[in-house]
Amino acid sequence: MMRLSVILICFSTVIFAEEFEYLYSTKYIDVPLDHFNFRSNATFKLRYLINDTYHVQRGPIFFYTGNEGDINQFAQNTGFMYDIASTFNALLVFAEHRYYGTSLPFGNLSYTTPEYLGYLSSAQALADFAYLIDDLQSTYAATSDLKKVPVIAFGGSYGGMLAAYLRMKYPYAVAGAVASSAPIWQFRGLTPCENFNRIVTNVYEALGGVKCKDTIAKSWKIIRSLTETDEGKSNLTKLWNFCTPLKTSDDIDTLVDWLTNIYVNVAMVNYPYPTSFLADLPAYPVRAVCSKINNFDYKNDFGLLQALGEALSVYTNYTGRTTCNDIKVAANIGEKGWDFQSCTDMIMPMCSTSFDMFEDEPWDFDKYSDDCYKKFSVRPRNEQVPLLEYGGKDIKSASDIVFSNGLMDPWSSGGVLSNVSDRISAVIIPDAAHHFDLRGANANDPGSVREARRFHVKRIHKWLNKFYFENLDDPLKYKFYETNRV
Amino acid sequence: MMRLSVILICFSTVIFAEEFEYLYSTKYIDVPLDHFNFRSNATFKLRYLINDTYHVQRGPIFFYTGNEGDINQFAQNTGFMYDIASTFNALLVFAEHRYYGTSLPFGNLSYTTPEYLGYLSSAQALADFAYLIDDLQSTYAATSDLKKVPVIAFGGSYGGMLAAYLRMKYPYAVAGAVASSAPIWQFRGLTPCENFNRIVTNVYEALGGVKCKDTIAKSWKIIRSLTETDEGKSNLTKLWNFCTPLKTSDDIDTLVDWLTNIYVNVAMVNYPYPTSFLADLPAYPVRAVCSKINNFDYKNDFGLLQALGEALSVYTNYTGRTTCNDIKVAANIGEKGWDFQSCTDMIMPMCSTSFDMFEDEPWDFDKYSDDCYKKFSVRPRNEQVPLLEYGGKDIKSASDIVFSNGLMDPWSSGGVLSNVSDRISAVIIPDAAHHFDLRGANANDPGSVREARRFHVKRIHKWLNKFYFENLDDPLKYKFYETNRV
């Protein structure tokens, strides 16, 4: 069974609002295909979004380190950067990650073979970002009294990991990093593999009630049992309105992945107002999903599945426009690129046990490796890659990073939850889902999220003051700058 | 004219002593060919040398980050690590740099095409070292109370750059770095291109006298003028005992490079006792070369060339066993690998002006690029590569590095000559040549070099104490350790 999709930090099913809420223009820069070898000087066009509405000369660059998806969706869901841009006179830049969106080094061939796909790695993406920042410096730092302007990296989820890594590996390129919901410790030996699913389970129990969690927990055996027969497969196809009839046992595995992803995604985006990030969803979607289950007085196994069907429609058909459910699309919810990265430099061991509301699933690296090979003709080199490249828990030599995590976010399992040093801080947001603090301000935001954003602003202010003090030729100019900001 | 060779930090003409002075055993580790892409999982055998004579359990690893050459020669010329190993109970490891010595990823084909040669880069070499260190940890850190042992990086010249870069890019892999004569600022915009040759000139004038410097300075026009005719070429061939007759104007360019390299090399290894590092040489070779010139009472241009011929033999034939001089071997003195690196990630602009004792030579990046293309079918991507990858002068976010430089070393031109922070220190050794402080103790060592080594020992002690205090489970064990070391 292919369970790669479970470990996605994924955003590809985003449904864009008809009109973009946040504005920017789109640009491209030629970046080297391969920053670390010199076999050729090939380049490709990396896309980035830019907004100079709030920017004044000498102002900082707020730089979003793009994740595994179309950069537009991250720009549309990172309103925090827009909200604080005028306070800091900042230029806003959102850089796309190579191999996602339109930043495809080999166009339509990019995903066809390891030969083409193999240049997809976090290390190359970081080098792209450093390259772009250097280019932006030559455009925006052309004043006689300031050789370069400060750059602050922002990112959420995998993008948050990249923001932190950018500061760790290229500290001269960015003066600080706000890394929201960045699971930099979701790697071998750093975090028990069951923690992620344990948190999902806890979220459902805490926010949706015991019945909701227990119903989901019980459902797997019922689904497996029912679908052992062709008739059962046919009945479930009808009940849950699948576009294609369930036929094989592989289909059932796919169905289980699809369901698992939905439960996880709903927990990740459990925001207190309707959003369109992973899907069109109501406010507090965990509560909405669970209330369907809790309100359904089912008497038997089929009734339980009916209740779940109702609940799933919160995720699959909130708009009422979905005609049928395609488990293959949803089970392969993430970009194929992230699946590849999960097989190479982002190998995040995941498992579930009988304490969770999911099917039992041990972490089996050999099987995982076989699955990777089937899918990409590439095997994980070893599970050590992320530790070798990013150092695991030993990050105390880095500086000027804020790691924020919502405790209702499954990905907090791999997050930095306590201060590492006086220059690497952890912000805990007890009632927040996945990178909630990076979203634009909303009347329904809980106090804890507002508090986290205030912390970010204070920290950014500190980083910028330090930068200007060290880099402006004339200390008086620095004083002027100091009194006029924030 | 191909002047790549001028910028070599080069060691390939080393003549090994009949027997090695410093002992070790030779090992190999399979390392990934490409740490940053995932196009294949190919590996190759990286060579390293290891000595556990002084090692006790929990003791640190002293790790030499190999330069552009056979690792044996660096182990034989870094006696400092041996001298202090017992004090620290250290394991000694000397890691070879990929594409040098026997660490050839594609065997005899490694240098044939950019396809094969292109995996030669400092970034890949650093990742090799981090990979090897991780492997050593699994062998040598298997005690219940200490998860990993501290590793201290050592390196001289380009190897010193790598030691510093290893601490900058992989701070979790090494607790500190001693970077001797590491010209990390010998890059575009950081150091004027003429500084290197200016220092060589100053060394000859200061140590060899004005007549010596002026004779060399005057010689270029005389050589050019004499060799305009076939008769002149033939006369010079005889006078300086070349293996192959000078024939073309390209040959004269090669000759000029050969001479330039000799003068530079003699300055680099101007140690106060006989050595066999770049060539078999007497003590104080600058003085030896110049005394031949100063004692030769030449009356005309040909006499000047006779004087130079005598002087050159100090370098080319100190042993008396050289039958003729091959300018092609010597002009291409460095490994071909370093020439390639000089065209890719180690582009170090060099020039000379009328103030120097060398032929005038401006820095011309376009011509340089053309030369690279002719030689390797690869052009420098741009002059920015080292700045993008290693940050130029902005290294203050790094920590626990000592940069030492001898002021009589031409490479001090690109060195860190003043403290960057309280955790990045500069050690100046007024009367030392190239990475003198890394050599084994010798009765003729000047006080300044002994002083520098004492500084290193103190700093290493500090780094180790910090590491053990932070990493040993039991503080009492730390106290025990503390009182029993150094």
Side-chain angles (χ1 to χ4, degrees), chain A residues 50-63 81 84-93 133 136-137 140-141 146 148-154 173-176 460-461 463-465 467-468 481 485-486:
Chain A
I50 192 162
N51 178 320
D52 62 4
T53 311
Y54 315 102
H55 179 239
V56 297
Q57 202 175 41
R58 297 188 191 82
I61 298 172
F62 286 178
F63 189 94
M81 287 170 66
I84 64 170
S86 68
T87 301
F88 291 103
N89 297 340
L91 179 77
L92 296 177
V93 174
I133 286 168
L136 293 168
Q137 289 286 4
Y140 291 98
L146 191 65
K148 59 182 186 175
V149 295
V151 180
I152 307 296
F154 294 77
V174 290
I460 293 165
H461 189 211
W463 296 334
L464 292 180
N465 276 347
F467 183 95
Y468 286 114
Y481 180 90
R485 305 281 154 125
V486 187

Short mmCIF file of all heavy atoms in Angstrom, two decimals, chain A residues 50-63 81 84-93 133 136-137 140-141 146 148-154 173-176 460-461 463-465 467-468 481 485-486:
data_model
loop_
_atom_site.label_atom_id
_atom_site.label_comp_id
_atom_site.label_asym_id
_atom_site.label_seq_id
_atom_site.Cartn_x
_atom_site.Cartn_y
_atom_site.Cartn_z
N ILE A 50 5.84 39.95 -6.65
CA ILE A 50 6.44 41.12 -5.99
C ILE A 50 5.40 42.22 -5.83
O ILE A 50 4.56 42.44 -6.71
CB ILE A 50 7.69 41.58 -6.80
CG1 ILE A 50 8.51 42.60 -6.02
CG2 ILE A 50 7.32 42.09 -8.17
CD1 ILE A 50 9.94 42.74 -6.56
N ASN A 51 5.43 42.88 -4.68
CA ASN A 51 4.53 43.99 -4.40
C ASN A 51 5.34 45.10 -3.74
O ASN A 51 5.89 44.90 -2.66
CB ASN A 51 3.38 43.54 -3.49
CG ASN A 51 2.45 44.68 -3.14
OD1 ASN A 51 2.89 45.80 -2.90
ND2 ASN A 51 1.15 44.40 -3.12
N ASP A 52 5.41 46.27 -4.41
CA ASP A 52 6.21 47.37 -3.86
C ASP A 52 5.33 48.52 -3.35
O ASP A 52 5.82 49.64 -3.15
CB ASP A 52 7.24 47.87 -4.87
CG ASP A 52 6.58 48.43 -6.12
OD1 ASP A 52 5.34 48.51 -6.19
OD2 ASP A 52 7.33 48.80 -7.06
N THR A 53 4.05 48.23 -3.13
CA THR A 53 3.12 49.26 -2.67
C THR A 53 3.59 49.95 -1.39
O THR A 53 3.45 51.17 -1.24
CB THR A 53 1.74 48.63 -2.37
OG1 THR A 53 1.37 47.82 -3.47
CG2 THR A 53 0.69 49.70 -2.13
N TYR A 54 4.13 49.16 -0.49
CA TYR A 54 4.48 49.70 0.84
C TYR A 54 5.96 50.03 0.95
O TYR A 54 6.43 50.48 1.99
CB TYR A 54 4.13 48.66 1.92
CG TYR A 54 2.76 48.05 1.71
CD1 TYR A 54 2.61 46.77 1.16
CD2 TYR A 54 1.62 48.77 2.05
CE1 TYR A 54 1.36 46.23 0.95
CE2 TYR A 54 0.36 48.24 1.84
CZ TYR A 54 0.24 46.95 1.29
OH TYR A 54 -1.00 46.43 1.08
N HIS A 55 6.66 49.79 -0.13
CA HIS A 55 8.12 49.86 -0.07
C HIS A 55 8.62 51.29 -0.19
O HIS A 55 8.15 52.04 -1.03
CB HIS A 55 8.72 49.01 -1.20
CG HIS A 55 10.20 49.02 -1.25
ND1 HIS A 55 10.92 49.44 -2.34
CD2 HIS A 55 11.11 48.66 -0.32
CE1 HIS A 55 12.20 49.33 -2.10
NE2 HIS A 55 12.35 48.86 -0.88
N VAL A 56 9.57 51.65 0.68
CA VAL A 56 10.33 52.89 0.46
C VAL A 56 11.80 52.53 0.43
O VAL A 56 12.22 51.50 0.98
CB VAL A 56 10.08 53.95 1.55
CG1 VAL A 56 8.63 54.41 1.56
CG2 VAL A 56 10.50 53.45 2.92
N GLN A 57 12.57 53.41 -0.19
CA GLN A 57 14.00 53.14 -0.34
C GLN A 57 14.64 52.82 1.03
O GLN A 57 14.32 53.47 2.02
CB GLN A 57 14.68 54.37 -0.96
CG GLN A 57 15.99 54.02 -1.62
CD GLN A 57 16.60 55.20 -2.35
OE1 GLN A 57 16.57 56.31 -1.85
NE2 GLN A 57 17.15 54.94 -3.51
N ARG A 58 15.54 51.86 1.03
CA ARG A 58 16.23 51.37 2.22
C ARG A 58 15.37 50.44 3.07
O ARG A 58 15.82 49.89 4.06
CB ARG A 58 16.78 52.48 3.12
CG ARG A 58 17.83 53.37 2.49
CD ARG A 58 18.43 54.30 3.55
NE ARG A 58 19.25 55.31 2.91
CZ ARG A 58 18.77 56.43 2.37
NH1 ARG A 58 17.48 56.67 2.39
NH2 ARG A 58 19.59 57.28 1.80
N GLY A 59 14.10 50.33 2.71
CA GLY A 59 13.21 49.45 3.46
C GLY A 59 13.61 48.00 3.26
O GLY A 59 14.31 47.65 2.30
N PRO A 60 13.19 47.13 4.16
CA PRO A 60 13.57 45.73 4.08
C PRO A 60 12.81 44.97 2.99
O PRO A 60 11.82 45.48 2.46
CB PRO A 60 13.17 45.18 5.45
CG PRO A 60 12.00 46.04 5.86
CD PRO A 60 12.30 47.41 5.29
N ILE A 61 13.29 43.81 2.69
CA ILE A 61 12.56 42.89 1.81
C ILE A 61 11.98 41.79 2.69
O ILE A 61 12.71 41.16 3.45
CB ILE A 61 13.50 42.28 0.75
CG1 ILE A 61 14.08 43.38 -0.15
CG2 ILE A 61 12.75 41.24 -0.09
CD1 ILE A 61 15.17 42.90 -1.12
N PHE A 62 10.67 41.62 2.58
CA PHE A 62 10.03 40.48 3.25
C PHE A 62 9.90 39.39 2.21
O PHE A 62 9.21 39.56 1.19
CB PHE A 62 8.65 40.87 3.81
CG PHE A 62 8.72 41.74 5.04
CD1 PHE A 62 7.55 42.21 5.64
CD2 PHE A 62 9.94 42.07 5.63
CE1 PHE A 62 7.60 43.00 6.78
CE2 PHE A 62 9.99 42.86 6.77
CZ PHE A 62 8.82 43.32 7.34
N PHE A 63 10.55 38.28 2.46
CA PHE A 63 10.77 37.27 1.42
C PHE A 63 10.12 35.96 1.82
O PHE A 63 10.57 35.31 2.78
CB PHE A 63 12.29 37.09 1.24
CG PHE A 63 12.69 36.24 0.07
CD1 PHE A 63 13.01 36.83 -1.14
CD2 PHE A 63 12.78 34.86 0.18
CE1 PHE A 63 13.41 36.06 -2.23
CE2 PHE A 63 13.17 34.08 -0.90
CZ PHE A 63 13.49 34.68 -2.11
N MET A 81 2.08 39.08 6.03
CA MET A 81 3.14 39.89 5.42
C MET A 81 2.59 41.19 4.85
O MET A 81 3.21 42.25 4.97
CB MET A 81 3.87 39.08 4.34
CG MET A 81 4.80 38.00 4.90
SD MET A 81 5.44 36.85 3.63
CE MET A 81 6.47 37.94 2.63
N ILE A 84 1.67 43.77 7.75
CA ILE A 84 2.73 44.50 8.46
C ILE A 84 3.69 45.22 7.51
O ILE A 84 4.61 45.90 7.95
CB ILE A 84 3.55 43.57 9.39
CG1 ILE A 84 4.31 42.50 8.59
CG2 ILE A 84 2.65 42.90 10.44
CD1 ILE A 84 5.32 41.71 9.41
N ALA A 85 3.45 45.11 6.21
CA ALA A 85 4.40 45.69 5.24
C ALA A 85 4.53 47.20 5.40
O ALA A 85 5.64 47.75 5.35
CB ALA A 85 3.99 45.34 3.82
N SER A 86 3.40 47.90 5.59
CA SER A 86 3.48 49.37 5.64
C SER A 86 4.20 49.82 6.91
O SER A 86 4.92 50.82 6.90
CB SER A 86 2.09 49.98 5.54
OG SER A 86 1.35 49.69 6.70
N THR A 87 4.04 49.10 7.99
CA THR A 87 4.75 49.43 9.24
C THR A 87 6.26 49.45 9.02
O THR A 87 6.96 50.29 9.57
CB THR A 87 4.44 48.36 10.32
OG1 THR A 87 3.03 48.33 10.53
CG2 THR A 87 5.15 48.67 11.62
N PHE A 88 6.73 48.54 8.19
CA PHE A 88 8.18 48.41 8.00
C PHE A 88 8.67 48.98 6.67
O PHE A 88 9.83 48.85 6.35
CB PHE A 88 8.57 46.93 8.09
CG PHE A 88 8.44 46.34 9.47
CD1 PHE A 88 7.38 45.52 9.80
CD2 PHE A 88 9.38 46.63 10.45
CE1 PHE A 88 7.26 44.97 11.07
CE2 PHE A 88 9.28 46.08 11.72
CZ PHE A 88 8.20 45.25 12.04
N ASN A 89 7.76 49.57 5.89
CA ASN A 89 8.13 50.07 4.54
C ASN A 89 8.73 48.96 3.68
O ASN A 89 9.69 49.17 2.94
CB ASN A 89 9.13 51.21 4.63
CG ASN A 89 8.55 52.42 5.35
OD1 ASN A 89 7.32 52.56 5.45
ND2 ASN A 89 9.41 53.30 5.81
N ALA A 90 8.16 47.79 3.77
CA ALA A 90 8.80 46.61 3.18
C ALA A 90 8.37 46.33 1.74
O ALA A 90 7.23 46.59 1.34
CB ALA A 90 8.50 45.38 4.04
N LEU A 91 9.31 45.79 1.01
CA LEU A 91 9.01 45.20 -0.29
C LEU A 91 8.58 43.75 -0.04
O LEU A 91 9.22 43.05 0.75
CB LEU A 91 10.28 45.22 -1.14
CG LEU A 91 10.19 44.62 -2.55
CD1 LEU A 91 9.48 45.60 -3.49
CD2 LEU A 91 11.58 44.31 -3.09
N LEU A 92 7.50 43.33 -0.69
CA LEU A 92 7.04 41.95 -0.51
C LEU A 92 7.44 41.10 -1.70
O LEU A 92 7.22 41.49 -2.86
CB LEU A 92 5.51 41.92 -0.38
CG LEU A 92 4.93 42.63 0.85
CD1 LEU A 92 3.40 42.58 0.81
CD2 LEU A 92 5.44 41.96 2.13
N VAL A 93 8.04 39.96 -1.42
CA VAL A 93 8.43 39.03 -2.49
C VAL A 93 8.01 37.62 -2.08
O VAL A 93 8.24 37.21 -0.93
CB VAL A 93 9.96 39.07 -2.74
CG1 VAL A 93 10.38 38.00 -3.74
CG2 VAL A 93 10.38 40.45 -3.22
N ILE A 133 17.64 36.62 -3.92
CA ILE A 133 17.86 37.71 -2.96
C ILE A 133 19.04 38.56 -3.40
O ILE A 133 18.98 39.79 -3.37
CB ILE A 133 18.08 37.14 -1.54
CG1 ILE A 133 16.75 36.63 -0.98
CG2 ILE A 133 18.69 38.18 -0.61
CD1 ILE A 133 16.87 35.79 0.28
N LEU A 136 17.83 40.76 -6.11
CA LEU A 136 16.97 41.84 -5.58
C LEU A 136 17.81 42.92 -4.91
O LEU A 136 17.53 44.11 -5.02
CB LEU A 136 15.97 41.27 -4.57
CG LEU A 136 14.89 40.33 -5.13
CD1 LEU A 136 14.16 39.60 -4.00
CD2 LEU A 136 13.89 41.09 -6.01
N GLN A 137 18.88 42.50 -4.23
CA GLN A 137 19.76 43.48 -3.60
C GLN A 137 20.33 44.44 -4.63
O GLN A 137 20.43 45.63 -4.38
CB GLN A 137 20.91 42.77 -2.86
CG GLN A 137 20.52 42.03 -1.59
CD GLN A 137 20.20 42.96 -0.42
OE1 GLN A 137 20.19 44.18 -0.56
NE2 GLN A 137 19.89 42.36 0.73
N TYR A 140 17.38 46.83 -5.40
CA TYR A 140 16.72 47.63 -4.36
C TYR A 140 17.64 48.22 -3.31
O TYR A 140 17.20 48.95 -2.44
CB TYR A 140 15.64 46.78 -3.67
CG TYR A 140 14.50 46.50 -4.61
CD1 TYR A 140 14.42 45.31 -5.31
CD2 TYR A 140 13.52 47.47 -4.85
CE1 TYR A 140 13.39 45.07 -6.22
CE2 TYR A 140 12.49 47.24 -5.74
CZ TYR A 140 12.43 46.03 -6.42
OH TYR A 140 11.42 45.81 -7.32
N ALA A 141 18.91 47.89 -3.37
CA ALA A 141 19.82 48.40 -2.33
C ALA A 141 20.81 49.42 -2.90
O ALA A 141 21.87 49.61 -2.34
CB ALA A 141 20.56 47.25 -1.67
N LEU A 146 24.04 52.52 2.08
CA LEU A 146 23.62 51.20 2.56
C LEU A 146 23.91 50.18 1.46
O LEU A 146 23.30 50.20 0.40
CB LEU A 146 22.11 51.24 2.85
CG LEU A 146 21.50 50.05 3.59
CD1 LEU A 146 22.06 49.95 5.01
CD2 LEU A 146 19.98 50.18 3.65
N LYS A 148 23.54 46.89 1.37
CA LYS A 148 22.44 45.98 1.11
C LYS A 148 21.31 46.24 2.09
O LYS A 148 21.54 46.83 3.16
CB LYS A 148 22.89 44.52 1.18
CG LYS A 148 23.50 44.05 2.49
CD LYS A 148 23.95 42.58 2.38
CE LYS A 148 24.43 42.04 3.71
NZ LYS A 148 24.76 40.60 3.65
N VAL A 149 20.13 45.84 1.73
CA VAL A 149 18.99 46.04 2.63
C VAL A 149 18.75 44.74 3.38
O VAL A 149 19.12 43.66 2.91
CB VAL A 149 17.72 46.47 1.86
CG1 VAL A 149 17.93 47.83 1.21
CG2 VAL A 149 17.30 45.43 0.85
N PRO A 150 18.11 44.85 4.56
CA PRO A 150 17.84 43.61 5.30
C PRO A 150 16.73 42.81 4.64
O PRO A 150 15.79 43.37 4.07
CB PRO A 150 17.40 44.12 6.67
CG PRO A 150 16.92 45.50 6.45
CD PRO A 150 17.69 46.05 5.28
N VAL A 151 16.87 41.52 4.69
CA VAL A 151 15.86 40.61 4.16
C VAL A 151 15.36 39.76 5.33
O VAL A 151 16.17 39.23 6.09
CB VAL A 151 16.43 39.71 3.06
CG1 VAL A 151 15.35 38.78 2.51
CG2 VAL A 151 17.04 40.55 1.94
N ILE A 152 14.05 39.67 5.47
CA ILE A 152 13.47 38.79 6.48
C ILE A 152 12.75 37.66 5.73
O ILE A 152 11.94 37.92 4.84
CB ILE A 152 12.46 39.54 7.38
CG1 ILE A 152 13.09 40.78 7.99
CG2 ILE A 152 11.91 38.59 8.46
CD1 ILE A 152 14.24 40.53 8.94
N ALA A 153 13.09 36.44 6.09
CA ALA A 153 12.45 35.29 5.46
C ALA A 153 11.19 34.90 6.24
O ALA A 153 11.17 34.95 7.47
CB ALA A 153 13.40 34.11 5.43
N PHE A 154 10.15 34.58 5.50
CA PHE A 154 8.91 34.08 6.08
C PHE A 154 8.56 32.76 5.39
O PHE A 154 8.77 32.61 4.18
CB PHE A 154 7.73 35.04 5.81
CG PHE A 154 7.85 36.38 6.48
CD1 PHE A 154 8.68 37.37 5.98
CD2 PHE A 154 7.09 36.67 7.60
CE1 PHE A 154 8.78 38.61 6.58
CE2 PHE A 154 7.17 37.91 8.21
CZ PHE A 154 8.02 38.88 7.71
N ALA A 173 22.42 36.21 3.82
CA ALA A 173 21.37 36.58 2.85
C ALA A 173 20.11 37.06 3.55
O ALA A 173 19.38 37.89 3.01
CB ALA A 173 21.05 35.39 1.93
N VAL A 174 19.82 36.54 4.74
CA VAL A 174 18.63 36.96 5.47
C VAL A 174 18.98 37.30 6.91
O VAL A 174 19.72 36.57 7.57
CB VAL A 174 17.51 35.88 5.45
CG1 VAL A 174 16.92 35.76 4.06
CG2 VAL A 174 18.01 34.54 5.93
N ALA A 175 18.42 38.41 7.39
CA ALA A 175 18.74 38.89 8.74
C ALA A 175 17.94 38.17 9.81
O ALA A 175 18.27 38.25 10.99
CB ALA A 175 18.49 40.40 8.82
N GLY A 176 16.91 37.48 9.41
CA GLY A 176 16.09 36.76 10.38
C GLY A 176 15.04 35.95 9.64
O GLY A 176 14.84 36.14 8.43
N ILE A 460 11.01 41.06 14.47
CA ILE A 460 11.45 41.62 13.17
C ILE A 460 12.03 43.01 13.39
O ILE A 460 13.07 43.37 12.83
CB ILE A 460 10.26 41.67 12.17
CG1 ILE A 460 9.82 40.25 11.81
CG2 ILE A 460 10.65 42.45 10.93
CD1 ILE A 460 8.45 40.19 11.13
N HIS A 461 11.36 43.77 14.22
CA HIS A 461 11.84 45.12 14.53
C HIS A 461 13.26 45.06 15.12
O HIS A 461 14.16 45.82 14.72
CB HIS A 461 10.87 45.77 15.53
CG HIS A 461 11.14 47.22 15.76
ND1 HIS A 461 10.88 47.87 16.94
CD2 HIS A 461 11.66 48.16 14.95
CE1 HIS A 461 11.24 49.13 16.85
NE2 HIS A 461 11.72 49.34 15.65
N TRP A 463 15.52 42.62 14.74
CA TRP A 463 16.47 42.22 13.70
C TRP A 463 16.82 43.38 12.78
O TRP A 463 17.96 43.57 12.40
CB TRP A 463 15.88 41.06 12.87
CG TRP A 463 15.64 39.80 13.62
CD1 TRP A 463 16.29 39.36 14.76
CD2 TRP A 463 14.66 38.79 13.32
NE1 TRP A 463 15.78 38.14 15.15
CE2 TRP A 463 14.79 37.76 14.30
CE3 TRP A 463 13.71 38.64 12.31
CZ2 TRP A 463 13.99 36.62 14.29
CZ3 TRP A 463 12.92 37.49 12.31
CH2 TRP A 463 13.05 36.50 13.29
N LEU A 464 15.79 44.14 12.41
CA LEU A 464 16.01 45.25 11.47
C LEU A 464 16.84 46.35 12.13
O LEU A 464 17.76 46.89 11.51
CB LEU A 464 14.68 45.82 10.99
CG LEU A 464 13.85 44.89 10.09
CD1 LEU A 464 12.55 45.56 9.67
CD2 LEU A 464 14.64 44.48 8.85
N ASN A 465 16.53 46.67 13.37
CA ASN A 465 17.32 47.70 14.06
C ASN A 465 18.78 47.30 14.10
O ASN A 465 19.67 48.11 13.84
CB ASN A 465 16.79 47.90 15.48
CG ASN A 465 15.62 48.86 15.50
OD1 ASN A 465 15.37 49.55 14.51
ND2 ASN A 465 14.90 48.89 16.60
N PHE A 467 20.33 45.30 12.11
CA PHE A 467 20.89 45.35 10.76
C PHE A 467 21.24 46.78 10.36
O PHE A 467 22.34 47.05 9.87
CB PHE A 467 19.90 44.76 9.76
CG PHE A 467 20.44 44.70 8.36
CD1 PHE A 467 21.05 43.54 7.89
CD2 PHE A 467 20.39 45.81 7.51
CE1 PHE A 467 21.57 43.51 6.60
CE2 PHE A 467 20.91 45.77 6.22
CZ PHE A 467 21.50 44.60 5.78
N TYR A 468 20.29 47.70 10.55
CA TYR A 468 20.55 49.09 10.13
C TYR A 468 21.68 49.70 10.94
O TYR A 468 22.51 50.44 10.42
CB TYR A 468 19.28 49.93 10.24
CG TYR A 468 18.27 49.63 9.15
CD1 TYR A 468 17.05 49.04 9.44
CD2 TYR A 468 18.55 49.93 7.82
CE1 TYR A 468 16.12 48.75 8.45
CE2 TYR A 468 17.63 49.65 6.82
CZ TYR A 468 16.42 49.06 7.13
OH TYR A 468 15.53 48.78 6.14
N TYR A 481 15.92 56.57 11.24
CA TYR A 481 15.15 55.41 10.81
C TYR A 481 14.42 54.78 12.00
O TYR A 481 13.24 54.52 11.97
CB TYR A 481 16.11 54.38 10.19
CG TYR A 481 15.40 53.16 9.70
CD1 TYR A 481 14.92 53.10 8.40
CD2 TYR A 481 15.16 52.09 10.55
CE1 TYR A 481 14.24 51.98 7.97
CE2 TYR A 481 14.46 50.99 10.12
CZ TYR A 481 14.01 50.93 8.83
OH TYR A 481 13.32 49.84 8.40
N ARG A 485 10.04 54.18 12.52
CA ARG A 485 9.48 52.86 12.21
C ARG A 485 8.70 52.32 13.40
O ARG A 485 9.07 52.57 14.54
CB ARG A 485 10.59 51.85 11.88
CG ARG A 485 11.50 52.27 10.78
CD ARG A 485 10.88 52.04 9.42
NE ARG A 485 11.47 52.98 8.48
CZ ARG A 485 12.06 52.63 7.36
NH1 ARG A 485 12.07 51.39 6.98
NH2 ARG A 485 12.59 53.54 6.58
N VAL A 486 7.80 51.52 13.11
CA VAL A 486 7.03 50.69 14.06
C VAL A 486 6.37 51.53 15.16
O VAL A 486 7.07 52.19 15.92
CB VAL A 486 7.91 49.60 14.73
CG1 VAL A 486 7.04 48.67 15.55
CG2 VAL A 486 8.58 48.81 13.64
#
